[in-house]
Every structure is written in C-alpha cells, then in structure tokens.
Amino acid sequence: AHLRAQAVRRHSVEQELRSALDEDRIEVHFQPVIRLADARVVGAEALARIRASSGELLQPAQFIDIAEDTGLIADLGARVLTIAVGRLAAWHGRIGTSGDRAGDEPLSMAVNVSARQLSDPMFPRLVASTLLDNGVDPTHVALEFTESALIAANPVTGSVLGELTALGVRMGLDDFGTGFSSLAYLKRFPIDFLKIDRSFVAGLRE
C-alpha cells in the first residue's frame, strides 16, 4: 500500500509538472543575498516553485527529484533561467545598469542548475542567448550546482563548465560538505565560490 501511494503521488506530481510547463505555471521566488559587512542586498537566488492547478504552491522537495528522473528538469531549468535573468534585467533597468545605488555594484542573480543540464552540450548556448536577449552582463549571473553533479561528471560536463566560464558567468558549488566532498573539485573544475552547508555553520558565534 505504501509503495502504491508513492507511485500514485509521483505520477500525480509528474502530470502536474508537465501541465505547469505547458500552461506557464512555473514561478520563481527570489531569496535576497545580504552582504554582512554593511547589511546591503547585493543580489538574489532564484528558487523554483510550481503553482498547481488547485492553486497550491509546490516546493522543490516535492518535484525536483521527479523532474530529474523524468528528464523534465531541462525544460524546468531553462524556464527558471529565463525568468530569473529577465527579472535581473528589470532590476538593473530600474536602478541603472551602472549600479547607481549610492555607489554600490549592480545586483547579481544565482540560478541552480542540475547535473543533466551540465551534461547537455547545448546548455552554454542557452545561457548565452538568454543573457544576450536580456542585455545582462554575464558577470552578474552565477550558476550553482551540487557535488552530485560533479560526481556524475563526464568529459561533456567538463567541456560545458569550460564554455560557461568562458562566457563570463560565475560558477558555484552548493551545499559543499554534505556529500563526498573533495578539495580536488576546486582544482579540477572552474569553481569561483563555495556555499558551505548550513549544518556546518548553524550555531556559530562571532
């Protein structure tokens, strides 16, 4: 009975995801990135959400694994990237592309990408065209991926990462320290920054 319930749920979420992609019910919420030195907002991280046909808002834990298993993660990721970069362009348009916020630098945008996207040789072209269409400087965009994406890395992944770096976007390793963490990743792949998992910093004091 438990396995049947799981199968039914997965099928339901998959159908909801497919219809959400067809009916433009993919939402992107933005989590601000705060610079601790002066408590200023310097950017945001794009977080995917699905608005179900019932009106319920589905969280990533409910659909990301299913999206990866079914291959829909590529379409979902492309949609999130398009929305996020478009929003960044709108923000820059409001404050001026020179970042005229009392002398502060322009806002940045971080977008999560999956292992499947990093193994797609066409992905750098998608990123490049999205940046060009929105007139966004690549240096203001960061693509974040988890250690699992590097564990599954193949020659195509290395090539894709190289092309993305050549575009000028920043590359970040997310949730570092939770999996088979290795500092060798930092030497083997073009990684600009690490995001240490909260389990390692929770409870730390000044």
Side-chain angles (χ1 to χ4, degrees), residues 6-7 12 18-19 25 29 33 37 43 56-57 69 74 95 114 119 121 138 143 145 152 164 178 185 195 205:
Q6 281 188 318
S12 175
R18 291 184 184 277
S19 64
R25 285 190 278 106
H29 293 196
V33 176
E56 176 189 3
L57 192 64
D69 292 343
I95 65 175
S114 68
S119 63
L143 301 180
F145 45 90
L164 291 171
T178 58
Y185 291 147
K195 291 178 68 175
R205 299 179 180 179

PDB file of all heavy atoms in Angstrom, residues 6-7 12 18-19 25 29 33 37 43 56-57 69 74 95 114 119 121 138 143 145 152 164 178 185 195 205:
ATOM      1  N   GLN A   6       3.126   5.917  -3.025  1.00  0.00           N
ATOM      2  CA  GLN A   6       4.261   6.668  -3.550  1.00  0.00           C
ATOM      3  C   GLN A   6       4.189   6.782  -5.069  1.00  0.00           C
ATOM      4  O   GLN A   6       4.453   7.849  -5.638  1.00  0.00           O
ATOM      5  CB  GLN A   6       5.574   5.990  -3.143  1.00  0.00           C
ATOM      6  CG  GLN A   6       6.010   6.267  -1.710  1.00  0.00           C
ATOM      7  CD  GLN A   6       7.412   5.738  -1.447  1.00  0.00           C
ATOM      8  OE1 GLN A   6       7.763   4.634  -1.888  1.00  0.00           O
ATOM      9  NE2 GLN A   6       8.224   6.511  -0.747  1.00  0.00           N
ATOM     10  N   ALA A   7       3.856   5.660  -5.717  1.00  0.00           N
ATOM     11  CA  ALA A   7       3.764   5.653  -7.177  1.00  0.00           C
ATOM     12  C   ALA A   7       2.674   6.604  -7.669  1.00  0.00           C
ATOM     13  O   ALA A   7       2.857   7.335  -8.651  1.00  0.00           O
ATOM     14  CB  ALA A   7       3.496   4.238  -7.677  1.00  0.00           C
ATOM     15  N   SER A  12       1.188  11.767 -10.056  1.00  0.00           N
ATOM     16  CA  SER A  12       0.405  12.997  -9.938  1.00  0.00           C
ATOM     17  C   SER A  12       1.292  14.228 -10.065  1.00  0.00           C
ATOM     18  O   SER A  12       0.950  15.192 -10.779  1.00  0.00           O
ATOM     19  CB  SER A  12      -0.330  13.010  -8.593  1.00  0.00           C
ATOM     20  OG  SER A  12      -1.006  14.232  -8.392  1.00  0.00           O
ATOM     21  N   ARG A  18       4.212  18.614 -15.845  1.00  0.00           N
ATOM     22  CA  ARG A  18       4.045  18.728 -17.301  1.00  0.00           C
ATOM     23  C   ARG A  18       3.024  19.810 -17.651  1.00  0.00           C
ATOM     24  O   ARG A  18       3.255  20.635 -18.547  1.00  0.00           O
ATOM     25  CB  ARG A  18       3.622  17.385 -17.891  1.00  0.00           C
ATOM     26  CG  ARG A  18       4.707  16.315 -17.845  1.00  0.00           C
ATOM     27  CD  ARG A  18       4.259  15.031 -18.540  1.00  0.00           C
ATOM     28  NE  ARG A  18       5.263  13.984 -18.418  1.00  0.00           N
ATOM     29  CZ  ARG A  18       6.326  13.853 -19.205  1.00  0.00           C
ATOM     30  NH1 ARG A  18       6.514  14.729 -20.187  1.00  0.00           N
ATOM     31  NH2 ARG A  18       7.187  12.868 -19.019  1.00  0.00           N
ATOM     32  N   SER A  19       1.915  19.805 -16.953  1.00  0.00           N
ATOM     33  CA  SER A  19       0.883  20.799 -17.249  1.00  0.00           C
ATOM     34  C   SER A  19       1.340  22.201 -16.843  1.00  0.00           C
ATOM     35  O   SER A  19       1.007  23.185 -17.502  1.00  0.00           O
ATOM     36  CB  SER A  19      -0.430  20.433 -16.548  1.00  0.00           C
ATOM     37  OG  SER A  19      -0.291  20.467 -15.139  1.00  0.00           O
ATOM     38  N   ARG A  25       2.814  27.832 -15.499  1.00  0.00           N
ATOM     39  CA  ARG A  25       2.569  27.949 -14.068  1.00  0.00           C
ATOM     40  C   ARG A  25       3.838  27.718 -13.259  1.00  0.00           C
ATOM     41  O   ARG A  25       3.780  27.348 -12.097  1.00  0.00           O
ATOM     42  CB  ARG A  25       1.462  26.973 -13.637  1.00  0.00           C
ATOM     43  CG  ARG A  25       0.070  27.425 -14.056  1.00  0.00           C
ATOM     44  CD  ARG A  25      -1.037  26.596 -13.435  1.00  0.00           C
ATOM     45  NE  ARG A  25      -1.266  25.350 -14.158  1.00  0.00           N
ATOM     46  CZ  ARG A  25      -0.911  24.155 -13.747  1.00  0.00           C
ATOM     47  NH1 ARG A  25      -0.289  24.010 -12.585  1.00  0.00           N
ATOM     48  NH2 ARG A  25      -1.172  23.074 -14.464  1.00  0.00           N
ATOM     49  N   HIS A  29      10.709  32.400  -7.131  1.00  0.00           N
ATOM     50  CA  HIS A  29      10.781  33.276  -5.962  1.00  0.00           C
ATOM     51  C   HIS A  29      12.244  33.644  -5.749  1.00  0.00           C
ATOM     52  O   HIS A  29      13.143  32.886  -6.119  1.00  0.00           O
ATOM     53  CB  HIS A  29      10.203  32.577  -4.738  1.00  0.00           C
ATOM     54  CG  HIS A  29       8.731  32.332  -4.848  1.00  0.00           C
ATOM     55  ND1 HIS A  29       7.945  32.011  -3.767  1.00  0.00           N
ATOM     56  CD2 HIS A  29       7.890  32.352  -5.925  1.00  0.00           C
ATOM     57  CE1 HIS A  29       6.693  31.858  -4.156  1.00  0.00           C
ATOM     58  NE2 HIS A  29       6.632  32.047  -5.461  1.00  0.00           N
ATOM     59  N   VAL A  33      20.328  38.007  -1.191  1.00  0.00           N
ATOM     60  CA  VAL A  33      21.685  37.744  -0.723  1.00  0.00           C
ATOM     61  C   VAL A  33      22.164  39.015  -0.031  1.00  0.00           C
ATOM     62  O   VAL A  33      22.183  40.091  -0.633  1.00  0.00           O
ATOM     63  CB  VAL A  33      22.623  37.390  -1.898  1.00  0.00           C
ATOM     64  CG1 VAL A  33      24.057  37.225  -1.399  1.00  0.00           C
ATOM     65  CG2 VAL A  33      22.151  36.119  -2.586  1.00  0.00           C
ATOM     66  N   ALA A  37      28.902  42.752   5.781  1.00  0.00           N
ATOM     67  CA  ALA A  37      29.698  43.912   6.186  1.00  0.00           C
ATOM     68  C   ALA A  37      28.851  45.159   6.393  1.00  0.00           C
ATOM     69  O   ALA A  37      29.099  45.947   7.307  1.00  0.00           O
ATOM     70  CB  ALA A  37      30.794  44.179   5.156  1.00  0.00           C
ATOM     71  N   GLY A  43      22.217  40.917  -4.150  1.00  0.00           N
ATOM     72  CA  GLY A  43      21.756  40.026  -5.195  1.00  0.00           C
ATOM     73  C   GLY A  43      20.633  39.143  -4.692  1.00  0.00           C
ATOM     74  O   GLY A  43      20.033  39.406  -3.646  1.00  0.00           O
ATOM     75  N   GLU A  56      -2.357  25.320  -5.132  1.00  0.00           N
ATOM     76  CA  GLU A  56      -1.315  25.022  -4.145  1.00  0.00           C
ATOM     77  C   GLU A  56       0.063  25.323  -4.726  1.00  0.00           C
ATOM     78  O   GLU A  56       0.314  25.122  -5.914  1.00  0.00           O
ATOM     79  CB  GLU A  56      -1.394  23.540  -3.750  1.00  0.00           C
ATOM     80  CG  GLU A  56      -0.300  23.086  -2.788  1.00  0.00           C
ATOM     81  CD  GLU A  56      -0.287  21.576  -2.600  1.00  0.00           C
ATOM     82  OE1 GLU A  56      -1.089  20.886  -3.261  1.00  0.00           O
ATOM     83  OE2 GLU A  56       0.532  21.104  -1.800  1.00  0.00           O
ATOM     84  N   LEU A  57       0.956  25.803  -3.871  1.00  0.00           N
ATOM     85  CA  LEU A  57       2.318  26.085  -4.296  1.00  0.00           C
ATOM     86  C   LEU A  57       3.202  24.907  -3.916  1.00  0.00           C
ATOM     87  O   LEU A  57       3.382  24.602  -2.736  1.00  0.00           O
ATOM     88  CB  LEU A  57       2.828  27.365  -3.632  1.00  0.00           C
ATOM     89  CG  LEU A  57       4.137  27.944  -4.194  1.00  0.00           C
ATOM     90  CD1 LEU A  57       3.950  28.387  -5.637  1.00  0.00           C
ATOM     91  CD2 LEU A  57       4.598  29.121  -3.335  1.00  0.00           C
ATOM     92  N   ASP A  69      14.229  12.629 -12.684  1.00  0.00           N
ATOM     93  CA  ASP A  69      14.007  11.250 -13.128  1.00  0.00           C
ATOM     94  C   ASP A  69      13.301  11.185 -14.475  1.00  0.00           C
ATOM     95  O   ASP A  69      13.538  10.269 -15.274  1.00  0.00           O
ATOM     96  CB  ASP A  69      13.188  10.477 -12.087  1.00  0.00           C
ATOM     97  CG  ASP A  69      13.954  10.236 -10.796  1.00  0.00           C
ATOM     98  OD1 ASP A  69      15.192  10.374 -10.816  1.00  0.00           O
ATOM     99  OD2 ASP A  69      13.314   9.913  -9.778  1.00  0.00           O
ATOM    100  N   ALA A  74      15.353  19.665 -17.536  1.00  0.00           N
ATOM    101  CA  ALA A  74      15.962  20.553 -18.531  1.00  0.00           C
ATOM    102  C   ALA A  74      15.001  21.673 -18.911  1.00  0.00           C
ATOM    103  O   ALA A  74      15.391  22.850 -18.956  1.00  0.00           O
ATOM    104  CB  ALA A  74      16.368  19.761 -19.762  1.00  0.00           C
ATOM    105  N   ILE A  95      17.447  50.583 -11.556  1.00  0.00           N
ATOM    106  CA  ILE A  95      18.486  51.283 -10.798  1.00  0.00           C
ATOM    107  C   ILE A  95      19.617  51.801 -11.684  1.00  0.00           C
ATOM    108  O   ILE A  95      20.520  52.464 -11.222  1.00  0.00           O
ATOM    109  CB  ILE A  95      19.102  50.364  -9.712  1.00  0.00           C
ATOM    110  CG1 ILE A  95      19.838  49.182 -10.372  1.00  0.00           C
ATOM    111  CG2 ILE A  95      18.052  49.878  -8.753  1.00  0.00           C
ATOM    112  CD1 ILE A  95      20.573  48.309  -9.375  1.00  0.00           C
ATOM    113  N   SER A 114      21.112  21.672 -12.794  1.00  0.00           N
ATOM    114  CA  SER A 114      21.169  20.251 -12.469  1.00  0.00           C
ATOM    115  C   SER A 114      22.317  19.558 -13.184  1.00  0.00           C
ATOM    116  O   SER A 114      22.921  20.098 -14.124  1.00  0.00           O
ATOM    117  CB  SER A 114      19.855  19.573 -12.863  1.00  0.00           C
ATOM    118  OG  SER A 114      19.723  19.563 -14.276  1.00  0.00           O
ATOM    119  N   SER A 119      25.431  18.313 -18.324  1.00  0.00           N
ATOM    120  CA  SER A 119      25.892  17.294 -19.272  1.00  0.00           C
ATOM    121  C   SER A 119      25.289  17.509 -20.663  1.00  0.00           C
ATOM    122  O   SER A 119      25.460  16.674 -21.549  1.00  0.00           O
ATOM    123  CB  SER A 119      25.528  15.887 -18.767  1.00  0.00           C
ATOM    124  OG  SER A 119      24.122  15.726 -18.686  1.00  0.00           O
ATOM    125  N   PRO A 121      25.470  19.499 -24.000  1.00  0.00           N
ATOM    126  CA  PRO A 121      26.398  20.373 -24.724  1.00  0.00           C
ATOM    127  C   PRO A 121      25.745  21.643 -25.267  1.00  0.00           C
ATOM    128  O   PRO A 121      26.437  22.589 -25.631  1.00  0.00           O
ATOM    129  CB  PRO A 121      26.912  19.480 -25.866  1.00  0.00           C
ATOM    130  CG  PRO A 121      25.898  18.396 -26.006  1.00  0.00           C
ATOM    131  CD  PRO A 121      25.333  18.175 -24.644  1.00  0.00           C
ATOM    132  N   PRO A 138      27.225  38.923 -18.199  1.00  0.00           N
ATOM    133  CA  PRO A 138      27.417  37.573 -17.644  1.00  0.00           C
ATOM    134  C   PRO A 138      28.028  37.568 -16.244  1.00  0.00           C
ATOM    135  O   PRO A 138      27.744  36.659 -15.453  1.00  0.00           O
ATOM    136  CB  PRO A 138      28.370  36.911 -18.646  1.00  0.00           C
ATOM    137  CG  PRO A 138      28.150  37.644 -19.919  1.00  0.00           C
ATOM    138  CD  PRO A 138      27.864  39.057 -19.515  1.00  0.00           C
ATOM    139  N   LEU A 143      25.872  30.487 -11.672  1.00  0.00           N
ATOM    140  CA  LEU A 143      25.201  29.194 -11.810  1.00  0.00           C
ATOM    141  C   LEU A 143      25.705  28.283 -10.700  1.00  0.00           C
ATOM    142  O   LEU A 143      26.915  28.100 -10.539  1.00  0.00           O
ATOM    143  CB  LEU A 143      25.496  28.581 -13.177  1.00  0.00           C
ATOM    144  CG  LEU A 143      25.066  29.412 -14.394  1.00  0.00           C
ATOM    145  CD1 LEU A 143      25.429  28.688 -15.680  1.00  0.00           C
ATOM    146  CD2 LEU A 143      23.569  29.705 -14.349  1.00  0.00           C
ATOM    147  N   PHE A 145      25.611  24.538  -8.629  1.00  0.00           N
ATOM    148  CA  PHE A 145      25.321  23.112  -8.780  1.00  0.00           C
ATOM    149  C   PHE A 145      25.866  22.378  -7.570  1.00  0.00           C
ATOM    150  O   PHE A 145      26.716  22.887  -6.840  1.00  0.00           O
ATOM    151  CB  PHE A 145      25.932  22.558 -10.070  1.00  0.00           C
ATOM    152  CG  PHE A 145      27.353  23.000 -10.308  1.00  0.00           C
ATOM    153  CD1 PHE A 145      28.424  22.269  -9.824  1.00  0.00           C
ATOM    154  CD2 PHE A 145      27.614  24.169 -11.006  1.00  0.00           C
ATOM    155  CE1 PHE A 145      29.722  22.682 -10.022  1.00  0.00           C
ATOM    156  CE2 PHE A 145      28.921  24.599 -11.216  1.00  0.00           C
ATOM    157  CZ  PHE A 145      29.978  23.849 -10.725  1.00  0.00           C
ATOM    158  N   ALA A 152      28.954  12.892 -10.979  1.00  0.00           N
ATOM    159  CA  ALA A 152      28.478  12.280 -12.231  1.00  0.00           C
ATOM    160  C   ALA A 152      29.141  12.898 -13.455  1.00  0.00           C
ATOM    161  O   ALA A 152      28.724  12.627 -14.589  1.00  0.00           O
ATOM    162  CB  ALA A 152      26.962  12.434 -12.328  1.00  0.00           C
ATOM    163  N   LEU A 164      30.907  27.692 -20.122  1.00  0.00           N
ATOM    164  CA  LEU A 164      30.172  28.623 -19.277  1.00  0.00           C
ATOM    165  C   LEU A 164      31.112  29.633 -18.633  1.00  0.00           C
ATOM    166  O   LEU A 164      30.813  30.828 -18.548  1.00  0.00           O
ATOM    167  CB  LEU A 164      29.399  27.853 -18.197  1.00  0.00           C
ATOM    168  CG  LEU A 164      28.227  27.006 -18.690  1.00  0.00           C
ATOM    169  CD1 LEU A 164      27.697  26.126 -17.570  1.00  0.00           C
ATOM    170  CD2 LEU A 164      27.109  27.885 -19.247  1.00  0.00           C
ATOM    171  N   THR A 178      28.407  18.186   2.355  1.00  0.00           N
ATOM    172  CA  THR A 178      27.368  17.221   2.732  1.00  0.00           C
ATOM    173  C   THR A 178      27.515  15.879   2.039  1.00  0.00           C
ATOM    174  O   THR A 178      26.985  14.875   2.496  1.00  0.00           O
ATOM    175  CB  THR A 178      25.973  17.777   2.412  1.00  0.00           C
ATOM    176  OG1 THR A 178      25.908  18.091   1.004  1.00  0.00           O
ATOM    177  CG2 THR A 178      25.704  19.032   3.210  1.00  0.00           C
ATOM    178  N   TYR A 185      37.925  18.977  -6.324  1.00  0.00           N
ATOM    179  CA  TYR A 185      36.966  19.615  -7.229  1.00  0.00           C
ATOM    180  C   TYR A 185      37.429  21.024  -7.591  1.00  0.00           C
ATOM    181  O   TYR A 185      37.261  21.489  -8.716  1.00  0.00           O
ATOM    182  CB  TYR A 185      35.588  19.714  -6.573  1.00  0.00           C
ATOM    183  CG  TYR A 185      34.871  18.406  -6.375  1.00  0.00           C
ATOM    184  CD1 TYR A 185      34.032  18.220  -5.281  1.00  0.00           C
ATOM    185  CD2 TYR A 185      34.996  17.360  -7.285  1.00  0.00           C
ATOM    186  CE1 TYR A 185      33.346  17.028  -5.097  1.00  0.00           C
ATOM    187  CE2 TYR A 185      34.325  16.169  -7.109  1.00  0.00           C
ATOM    188  CZ  TYR A 185      33.494  15.999  -6.010  1.00  0.00           C
ATOM    189  OH  TYR A 185      32.817  14.830  -5.830  1.00  0.00           O
ATOM    190  N   LYS A 195      29.467  27.296  -1.359  1.00  0.00           N
ATOM    191  CA  LYS A 195      28.419  27.579  -0.376  1.00  0.00           C
ATOM    192  C   LYS A 195      28.464  26.443   0.642  1.00  0.00           C
ATOM    193  O   LYS A 195      28.107  25.309   0.329  1.00  0.00           O
ATOM    194  CB  LYS A 195      27.056  27.664  -1.049  1.00  0.00           C
ATOM    195  CG  LYS A 195      26.918  28.884  -1.950  1.00  0.00           C
ATOM    196  CD  LYS A 195      25.579  28.925  -2.650  1.00  0.00           C
ATOM    197  CE  LYS A 195      24.451  29.170  -1.692  1.00  0.00           C
ATOM    198  NZ  LYS A 195      23.141  29.319  -2.407  1.00  0.00           N
ATOM    199  N   ARG A 205      29.122  31.362  16.553  1.00  0.00           N
ATOM    200  CA  ARG A 205      29.019  32.691  17.137  1.00  0.00           C
ATOM    201  C   ARG A 205      30.212  33.524  16.692  1.00  0.00           C
ATOM    202  O   ARG A 205      31.226  33.008  16.253  1.00  0.00           O
ATOM    203  CB  ARG A 205      28.983  32.604  18.664  1.00  0.00           C
ATOM    204  CG  ARG A 205      27.794  31.814  19.197  1.00  0.00           C
ATOM    205  CD  ARG A 205      27.832  31.744  20.729  1.00  0.00           C
ATOM    206  NE  ARG A 205      26.696  30.988  21.248  1.00  0.00           N
ATOM    207  CZ  ARG A 205      26.501  30.761  22.545  1.00  0.00           C
ATOM    208  NH1 ARG A 205      27.368  31.234  23.422  1.00  0.00           N
ATOM    209  NH2 ARG A 205      25.460  30.079  22.932  1.00  0.00           N
TER     210      ARG A 205
END
